[in-house]
């Protein structure tokens, strides 16, 4: 599609900033519509300003996105720590319960063995 709709005109160039076509050759109307005149024109300057502001805003957005990513990672790390602490507490409670059950069983055995001897 691009090849079909692109036309080359000798002596003209398309501006990479604003897309306007201007004459390269000097003399006649070319002086008015030449490269220097185009670069100093309001349209070109406006597009250049817009592109500069766009680049600035994109850089700010990238920086803000990086900060958000860092903040999300910190939050995830906090959540991991909380889960780790919960798991540790649950394991500790389970071990405590097992120790208590074992102590209770030992006490019951001693009591039962003491009552059998009497």
């Amino acid at each position: 599609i691009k090849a079909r709709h692109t036309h080359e005109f000798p002596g003209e160039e398309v501006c990479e900033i604003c897309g306007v076509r201007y004459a390269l050759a000097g003399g006649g109307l070319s002086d008015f519509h030449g490269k220097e005149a185009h670069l100093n024109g309001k349209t070109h300057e406006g597009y250049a300003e817009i592109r500069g502001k766009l680049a600035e805003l994109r850089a700010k957005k990238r920086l803000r996105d990086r900060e958000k990513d860092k903040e999300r990672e910190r939050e995830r790390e906090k959540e991991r720590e909380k889960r780790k602490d919960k798991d540790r507490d649950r394991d500790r409670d389970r071990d405590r319960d097992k120790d208590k059950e074992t102590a209770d069983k030992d006490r019951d055995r001693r009591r039962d063995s003491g009552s059998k001897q009497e």
Side-chain angles (χ1 to χ4, degrees):
I1 291 178
K2 186 176 180 180
R4 208 173 355 148
H5 296 285
T6 302
H7 303 284
E8 292 288 325
F9 291 99
E12 290 185 341
E13 192 171 288
V14 176
C15 178
E16 294 293 323
I17 303 292
C18 61
V20 171
R21 204 175 349 182
Y22 55 87
L24 292 174
L29 286 175
S30 301
D31 290 340
F32 180 68
H33 296 290
K35 185 173 185 176
E36 286 300 316
H38 169 71
L39 294 176
N40 293 324
K42 288 182 180 180
T43 301
H44 179 82
E45 288 177 358
Y47 271 92
E49 187 177 330
I50 289 169
R51 286 178 181 259
K53 187 65 173 180
L54 182 63
E56 178 186 329
L57 292 173
R58 283 181 174 159
K60 282 182 180 180
K61 184 179 184 315
R62 276 193 302 274
L63 183 63
R64 195 171 47 242
D65 288 348
R66 279 191 219 123
E67 289 300 319
K68 283 181 182 179
D69 289 345
K70 286 179 184 177
E71 183 61 30
R72 274 190 226 116
E73 186 58 35
R74 283 192 289 268
E75 289 298 320
R76 283 188 205 120
E77 189 61 34
K78 284 180 184 179
E79 288 299 317
R80 281 187 209 115
E81 287 298 319
K82 283 181 182 179
R83 276 193 306 252
K84 218 186 244 185
D85 289 346
K86 261 185 169 177
D87 291 346
R88 192 178 310 121
D89 290 345
R90 187 183 64 232
D91 291 345
R92 189 179 310 128
D93 290 344
R94 189 182 310 134
D95 290 344
R96 208 177 287 142
D97 290 345
K98 281 183 181 180
D99 289 345
K100 186 176 179 185
E101 285 177 23
T102 304
D104 289 347
K105 285 179 183 178
D106 289 345
R107 187 184 59 229
D108 290 344
R109 279 190 208 120
R110 282 193 303 264
R111 188 183 58 204
D112 289 346
S113 67
S115 64
K116 286 182 184 177
Q117 291 176 357
E118 292 176 10

